[in-house]
Amino acid sequence: MHVRNKGADILIFALLFLLSAVFLVPIVIVVINSFKTGFYISGAPFELPNSETFAGFDNYLSGLTTSGFFAAFLRSVFITVVSVILIIVGTAMTAWFIVRVKSKFTSLLYYLFVFSMIVPFQMVMYTMTYVVNRVNFDNIFGITIVYLGFGAGLSVFMLSGFIKSIPLEIEEAATIDGAGPVQMFFSVIFPILKPTAITVAILNAMWIWNDYLLPYLVLGTDEKTIPVAIQISMHGAYGATNYGGLMAMLVLSIIPIVIFYVFCQKYIIKGVVAGAVKG
């Protein structure tokens, strides 16, 4: 009979609590400072707002009026949603093809996707920007294709591992019932992939929503996403920075992705458990 070591459990809990605090403290500091006046944000960033430093919702109002937040928000939502849909559908079909069609070509294709995961973005960003401009992908529609290319590596890798655990007999039964490849994928395979697909969706959504460098290089300042809009609009002349508006806009930009994660986190747990059991 296995006897649990209470001392080890306490140590693990303490370490996890410490790690949670390390990740949460910066977010708490941003929220606190979003309600303080700019002078006190830079002078006393770790103090709670009081009657002297409390700015109410002035930072949020100034941020919304000067940053073009609503237009940037809608633009970010469109780019994130379309990119994630393209990544999920495209890479799921690719992973299924790679796993089920065993050949030298699919093996090479798989390793190319894996190799793309270890290539730093900074290594290809200049050539990528040149190519994107030449093929007229430097708009909110074209950038979704660019995100599909950069997000395909990790997504194919994760989905391929799960598809290997799906019994081949399920597909054979669907073939006997008269299902073609496309019908089989969307009616049989894709529903089984739901937990892993949502996990991939969350990872890609958080990356695309928070990405600054790629939209800045591809779209410039004419079609700003939220990170680009916040960065540009909150900096004034001679290096002056509207810290209050910056903190307020950061809080507003965090809320949508946090809500998305809260609603989808149960599928991450299901995906991990399913992969552990089936694998």
Side-chain angles (χ1 to χ4, degrees), residues 34 47 171 233 258 264:
S34 68
E47 295 182 5
E171 299 175 29
S233 62
V258 170
C264 296

Side-chain angles (χ1 to χ4, degrees), residues 23-89:
F23 285 107
L24 289 176
V25 164
I27 300 175
V28 173
I29 292 175
V30 169
V31 174
I32 290 173
N33 285 286
S34 68
F35 293 98
K36 293 161 64 176
T37 57
F39 176 78
Y40 293 100
I41 292 175
S42 57
F46 302 106
E47 295 182 5
L48 292 173
N50 52 42
S51 57
E52 183 180 2
T53 63
F54 184 64
F57 290 96
D58 291 343
N59 292 331
Y60 289 87
L61 294 175
S62 65
L64 289 173
T65 55
T66 59
S67 66
F69 182 84
F70 292 112
F73 177 82
L74 294 176
R75 201 173 291 120
S76 290
V77 169
F78 175 83
I79 293 173
T80 302
V81 172
V82 174
S83 299
V84 169
I85 292 174
L86 289 176
I87 290 172
I88 294 301
V89 176

Side-chain angles (χ1 to χ4, degrees), residues 60-251:
Y60 289 87
L61 294 175
S62 65
L64 289 173
T65 55
T66 59
S67 66
F69 182 84
F70 292 112
F73 177 82
L74 294 176
R75 201 173 291 120
S76 290
V77 169
F78 175 83
I79 293 173
T80 302
V81 172
V82 174
S83 299
V84 169
I85 292 174
L86 289 176
I87 290 172
I88 294 301
V89 176
T91 59
M93 298 178 73
T94 303
W96 183 50
F97 175 78
I98 289 174
V99 172
R100 294 306 186 218
V101 181
K102 299 184 183 298
S103 65
K104 292 182 179 180
F105 171 73
T106 55
S107 296
L108 175 62
L109 188 62
Y110 176 76
Y111 287 114
L112 285 175
F113 279 114
V114 174
F115 176 73
S116 69
M117 295 167 53
I118 62 175
V119 178
F121 172 75
Q122 291 78 5
M123 183 177 177
V124 299
M125 64 181 183
Y126 291 112
T127 53
M128 181 274 301
T129 305
Y130 175 78
V131 173
V132 166
N133 290 332
R134 291 297 298 269
V135 298
N136 296 320
F137 277 2
D138 50 349
N139 51 69
I140 61 173
F141 299 97
I143 196 174
T144 60
I145 306 298
V146 180
Y147 274 122
L148 171 61
F150 280 105
L154 177 62
S155 302
V156 168
F157 176 75
M158 293 182 64
L159 290 166
S160 296
F162 188 83
I163 290 174
K164 290 177 182 178
S165 66
I166 299 176
L168 191 59
E169 290 77 10
I170 296 177
E171 299 175 29
E172 293 174 348
T175 303
I176 293 173
D177 291 338
V182 176
Q183 183 182 1
M184 181 193 302
F185 175 79
F186 285 104
S187 62
V188 178
I189 302 300
F190 198 71
I192 298 176
L193 290 176
K194 183 179 178 181
T196 306
I198 293 180
T199 302
V200 172
I202 291 173
L203 295 175
N204 284 289
M206 290 191 294
W207 157 53
I208 296 171
W209 182 267
N210 295 315
D211 190 23
Y212 170 81
L213 188 55
L214 182 58
Y216 183 76
L217 292 174
V218 174
L219 302 177
T221 58
D222 295 329
E223 296 180 302
K224 298 186 290 290
T225 57
I226 285 181
V228 178
I230 293 175
Q231 176 68 18
I232 293 176
S233 62
M234 293 299 105
H235 289 274
Y238 306 106
T241 302
N242 181 4
Y243 285 109
L246 177 63
M247 296 295 175
M249 294 304 97
L250 288 175
V251 172

